[in-house]
């Protein structure tokens, strides 16, 4: 019988596991690389060597572990799976419950920077929030999934159950990357409970109807051109995850450098090394490198519901990231009430392939916070 108990959780990785990781990093075998091709063939030796060296000699897992453990963490069983989550309550009696969902290759680390300003804003006029940040099923501290079918829709149902289990009858949903798939589906599943959906991408694409393309702005056409470039040059991960995740799992579950190389393709060079390595380390140390990528397979083989969502929806997109096209988004989401595009400046030098702003909660914290506050303030 499934238990609905909510159990306290602390991160406590055995030292022997960290020692094994260091030994594997020291003994890494490096691939041959063609000269003068840059990253045309994929992530480069130089970049992964630099990150691996940082992981081995400078990255402090225990410090990250301590930071995570400074927040209340819990696990609960939903549909036979262990679900890990942070749950930080505001002291404000008018606080709005929200659930924030990450994607791949991110983790709960995506949202650590927004916890304090959301729960305890400096201004009494700013809305406050009770914050729930779960690890997706099969990701990080939720551990590997034990059953099939954990796509965006089943995850959205689980998140509604989680919020209900925590005693929240009305709540908002916030998401990035995979979370931008899950959060709108929460509104579809529970429209009477989800007060609003705030995402950083609305993944709506041309339907194939030529009439949809008529009269698009230059900005929209440029966004489509960027999407086409990404599809032709950077979508190998999506194809492999969607078709043969288990085949890849052998490599990324056995080699931390292999995992680093694979996951780093979607971490911009402008991101700080602690953020990149912290996310990769969570996958390695929880044994979820292989189970996490099954999310793509499950989603590709899911039965997708027909018709648009109707929950009030906000988009805060960043110009280095996926560019949503409003005409297509409004076909799939009939109640978009806020639409903003922002620039973001990387903290380090960045190349033309970087999706600056993809991890907006970390890269452009204040910008994202302001957008979240503005949206939910109007829904109260």
């Amino acid at each position: 019988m499934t238990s609905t108990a909510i159990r306290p959780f602390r991160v406590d990785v055995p030292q022997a596991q960290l020692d094994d990781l260091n030994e594997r990093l020291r003994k890494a075998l490096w691939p041959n690389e063609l000269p003068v091709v840059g990253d045309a063939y994929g992530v480069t030796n130089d970049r992964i060597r630099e990150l691996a060296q940082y992981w081995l000699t400078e990255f402090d897992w225990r410090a990250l572990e301590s930071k995570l453990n400074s927040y209340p963490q819990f696990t609960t069983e939903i549909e036979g799976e262990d679900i890990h989550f942070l749950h930080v309550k505001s002291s404000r009696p008018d606080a709005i419950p929200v659930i924030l969902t990450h994607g791949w290759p991110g983790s709960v680390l995506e949202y650590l920077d927004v916890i304090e300003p959301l729960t305890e804003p400096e201004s009494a006029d700013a809305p406050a929030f009770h914050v729930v940040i779960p690890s997706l099923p099969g990701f990080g501290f939720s551990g590997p999934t034990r059953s099939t079918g954990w796509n965006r829709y089943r995850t959205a149902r689980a998140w509604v159950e989680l919020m209900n289990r925590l005693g929240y009858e009305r709540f908002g949903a916030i998401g990035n990357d995979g979370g931008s798939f899950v959060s709108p589906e929460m509104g579809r599943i529970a429209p009477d409970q989800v007060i609003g959906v705030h995402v950083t991408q609305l993944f709506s694409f041309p339907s194939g109807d030529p009439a949809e393309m008529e009269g698009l702005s230059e900005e929209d056409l440029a966004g489509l051109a960027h999407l086409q470039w990404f599809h032709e040059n950077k979508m190998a991960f999506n194809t492999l995850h969607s078709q043969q995740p288990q085949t890849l799992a052998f490599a990324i579950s056995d080699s931390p450098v292999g995992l680093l190389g694979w996951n780093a393709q979607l971490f911009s060079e402008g991101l700080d090394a602690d953020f990149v390595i912290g996310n990769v380390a969570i996958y390695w140390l929880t044994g979820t490198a292989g189970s996490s990528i099954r999310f793509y397979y499950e989603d590709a083989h899911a039965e997708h519901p027909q018709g648009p969502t109707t929950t009030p929806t906000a988009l805060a997109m960043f110009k280095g990231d996926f560019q949503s096209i409003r005409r297509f988004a409004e076909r799939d989401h009939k109640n978009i009430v806020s639409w903003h595009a922002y620039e973001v400046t990387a903290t380090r030098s960045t190349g033309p392939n970087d999706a600056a702003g993809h991890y907006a909660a970390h890269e452009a914290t204040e910008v994202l916070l302001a957008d979240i506050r503005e949206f939910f303030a109007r829904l109260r």
Side-chain angles (χ1 to χ4, degrees), residues 258-314:
L259 175 62
L260 178 60
W262 189 252
N263 287 25
Q265 65 181 302
L266 291 182
F267 283 116
S268 296
E269 293 179 21
L271 288 164
D272 57 283
D274 277 309
F275 182 76
V276 176
I277 298 300
N279 278 284
V280 175
I282 285 176
Y283 286 85
W284 179 261
L285 295 170
T286 59
T288 56
S291 59
S292 62
I293 62 176
R294 293 199 290 258
F295 183 89
Y296 289 78
Y297 181 94
E298 304 294 1
D299 223 57
H301 292 79
E303 182 177 343
H304 299 280
Q306 299 299 310
T309 70
T310 58
T311 302
T313 299

Side-chain angles (χ1 to χ4, degrees), residues 3 41 56 113 116 141 190 206 230 253 258 281 308 347 365:
S3 169
Y41 287 70
L56 178 62
D113 294 335
E116 282 82 359
F141 303 109
F230 189 87
S253 299
T347 56
T365 307

Side-chain angles (χ1 to χ4, degrees), residues 36-229:
V36 202
V37 298
D39 63 357
Y41 287 70
V43 290
T44 65
N45 271 7
D46 284 347
R47 181 165 188 231
I48 302 307
R49 280 181 180 274
E50 180 183 353
L51 286 169
Q53 184 65 20
Y54 188 90
W55 195 355
L56 178 62
T57 62
E58 297 184 56
F59 178 73
D60 188 343
W61 170 259
R62 293 302 185 197
L64 178 57
E65 195 174 73
S66 178
K67 184 175 183 179
L68 284 165
N69 287 334
S70 70
Y71 299 109
Q73 297 176 86
F74 305 89
T75 60
T76 192
E77 184 180 334
I78 300 179
E79 294 190 25
E81 303 292 348
D82 294 324
I83 301 299
H84 160 265
F85 60 97
L86 285 70
H87 185 197
V88 186
K89 294 184 178 181
S90 172
S91 63
R92 292 254 299 267
D94 62 341
I96 303 166
V98 288
I99 183 167
L100 299 93
T101 308
H102 66 85
W104 182 91
S107 70
V108 295
L109 297 192
E110 287 188 34
Y111 290 115
L112 295 190
D113 294 335
V114 302
I115 291 176
E116 282 82 359
L118 284 178
T119 55
E120 304 295 340
E122 293 182 359
S123 172
D125 295 328
F129 301 86
H130 301 307
V131 170
V132 179
I133 309 175
S135 296
L136 284 166
F139 289 64
F141 303 109
S142 287
T145 45
R146 296 183 284 263
S147 58
T148 62
W150 282 99
N151 51 50
R152 75 180 84 168
Y153 310 109
R154 190 176 182 186
T155 301
R157 292 195 299 271
W159 278 193
V160 172
E161 167 62 22
L162 175 60
M163 295 301 277
N164 289 336
R165 197 172 290 184
L166 293 173
Y168 297 130
E169 297 179 355
R170 297 271 289 163
F171 47 86
I174 297 171
N176 176 57
D177 193 81
S180 288
F181 282 119
V182 172
S183 298
E185 295 307 318
M186 292 182 65
R188 189 196 302 274
I189 290 164
D192 295 333
Q193 290 188 273
V194 179
I195 62 174
V197 171
H198 187 285
V199 293
T200 41
Q201 303 90 11
L202 284 170
F203 293 110
S204 295
F205 305 97
S207 66
D209 181 356
E212 268 192 341
M213 308 298 289
E214 293 179 3
L216 286 176
S217 68
E218 290 187 10
E219 186 176 16
D220 285 345
L221 291 172
L224 283 174
H226 179 71
L227 175 62
Q228 185 66 29
W229 173 87

Side-chain angles (χ1 to χ4, degrees), residues 351-373:
N353 295 334
D354 279 350
H358 182 72
Y359 299 96
H362 179 69
E363 296 179 81
T365 307
E366 292 303 322
V367 175
L368 185 66
L369 282 168
D371 204 280
I372 290 171
R373 288 166 176 157

Side-chain angles (χ1 to χ4, degrees), residues 310-332:
T310 58
T311 302
T313 299
L315 173 72
M317 67 176 171
F318 290 78
K319 296 222 175 148
D321 192 21
F322 177 88
Q323 294 300 287
S324 300
I325 309 298
R326 186 154 192 168
R327 180 181 298 180
F328 307 149
E330 288 180 337
R331 178 198 64 212
D332 299 334

